[in-house]
Amino acid sequence: AQSVTQLDSQVPVFEEAPVELRCNYSSSVSVYLFWYVQYPNQGLQLLLKYLSGSTLVESINGFEAEFNKSQTSFHLRKPSVHISDTAEYFCAVSDFSGGYNKLIFGAGTRLAVHP
Amino acid sequence: ETGVTQTPRHLVMGMTNKKSLKCEQHLGHNAMYWYKQSAKKPLELMFVYSLEERVENNSVPSRFSPECPNSSHLFLHLHTLQPEDSALYLCASSPAGTALAYEQYFGPGTRLTVT
């Protein structure tokens, strides 16, 4: 069975500092990986995804994630965070084992950006 | 309206009430999902509908009853709930059966409080 581990439940960081949110996955088949962000009192929004091709994927708001097959990781990074990046971040891996699409989510990492 | 919408956004109900949550997607997708998000717990996948057929029921108590009358609408009927059922209920949709199937789009959620 596929699984996702987010190693940090909370990450506090100062504004304009770099940040890395860690994600490791367990999968025996080809993987498709996602990062979602959830702002307070909202649903999950897709931040970026890795389906194939370049192992480095970027979002429109400065986040990037790198697919590392040998490390089975898909860590999320941003070189300089803003207060507005405060949110919960979920890593997910696709699962098609039942003949239909579903996502397996990690437990989430709460990013708190302080002034 | 665009994307995935959910109504109501907030719901308070007693343990003997019957209520329904509604989800509607305007994306032309044909797979829909219900998730439960409780404080300090990972996202729990409750039900999956693919091409209007229920394909997954993750040991959800019978006091939760899903209904998918067509590919655009999904309901979650609630009756005789318990206080531990208080949570954010998220609906999501995705295409089914294509390479884009691995990406899900979420609604804003219904915040349910059982008193």
Side-chain angles (χ1 to χ4, degrees):
Chain A
Q2 304 196 69
S3 65
V4 175
T5 302
Q6 290 185 245
L7 296 160
D8 307 295
S9 59
Q10 295 188 65
V11 173
V13 64
F14 287 108
E15 193 173 19
E16 297 183 9
V19 72
E20 179 179 80
L21 307 184
R22 296 179 292 170
C23 172
N24 287 90
Y25 66 90
S26 167
S27 173
S28 58
V29 297
S30 299
V31 291
Y32 305 91
L33 295 155
F34 306 83
W35 276 100
Y36 282 83
V37 59
Q38 185 178 33
Y39 299 103
N41 300 313
Q42 294 188 28
L44 277 68
Q45 301 172 32
L46 181 68
L47 190 59
L48 45 75
K49 61 186 177 184
Y50 170 77
L51 301 182
S52 65
S54 173
T55 57
L56 186 65
V57 291
E58 299 177 354
S59 72
I60 58 173
N61 57 354
F63 282 94
E64 64 179 29
E66 185 162 18
F67 170 59
N68 187 320
K69 187 174 182 179
S70 62
Q71 305 273 341
T72 61
S73 68
F74 190 55
H75 301 330
L76 181 70
R77 290 187 281 263
K78 189 170 186 179
S80 176
V81 294
H82 302 290
I83 296 286
S84 59
D85 293 324
T86 294
E88 185 131 23
Y89 292 80
F90 294 91
C91 181
V93 63
S94 61
D95 185 318
F96 209 72
S97 59
Y100 57 89
N101 170 41
K102 67 178 181 182
L103 293 177
I104 308 300
F105 284 90
T109 297
R110 185 169 299 279
L111 176 64
V113 182
H114 301 287
Chain B
E1 293 232 43
T2 59
V4 181
T5 58
Q6 291 186 243
T7 54
R9 293 293 310 275
H10 300 272
L11 178 63
V12 179
M13 59 186 288
M15 292 166 60
T16 58
N17 292 159
K18 289 186 181 180
K19 296 286 184 183
S20 295
L21 310 185
K22 178 182 177 182
C23 175
E24 185 172 0
Q25 58 93 4
H26 308 267
L27 300 168
H29 293 163
N30 46 26
M32 296 188 79
Y33 312 77
W34 278 118
Y35 289 87
K36 177 183 179 183
Q37 187 178 33
S38 306
K40 303 192 187 302
K41 291 177 69 175
L43 274 166
E44 301 173 52
L45 178 63
M46 301 174 72
F47 301 105
V48 180
Y49 278 84
S50 181
L51 302 173
E52 300 168 37
E53 178 185 347
R54 192 193 309 179
V55 293
E56 180 151 342
N57 176 346
N58 263 340
S59 302
V60 180
S62 59
R63 56 185 184 268
F64 295 92
S65 174
E67 178 189 4
C68 187
N70 55 62
S71 59
S72 298
H73 294 86
L74 184 66
F75 295 89
L76 187 63
H77 304 299
L78 316 171
H79 66 97
T80 58
L81 294 191
Q82 304 297 311
E84 61 265 28
D85 297 322
S86 298
L88 182 68
Y89 288 84
L90 293 164
C91 172
S93 71
S94 76
T98 74
L100 294 174
Y102 308 104
E103 186 172 324
Q104 292 180 19
Y105 296 79
F106 283 80
T110 295
R111 174 71 61 187
L112 173 67
T113 303
V114 181
T115 60

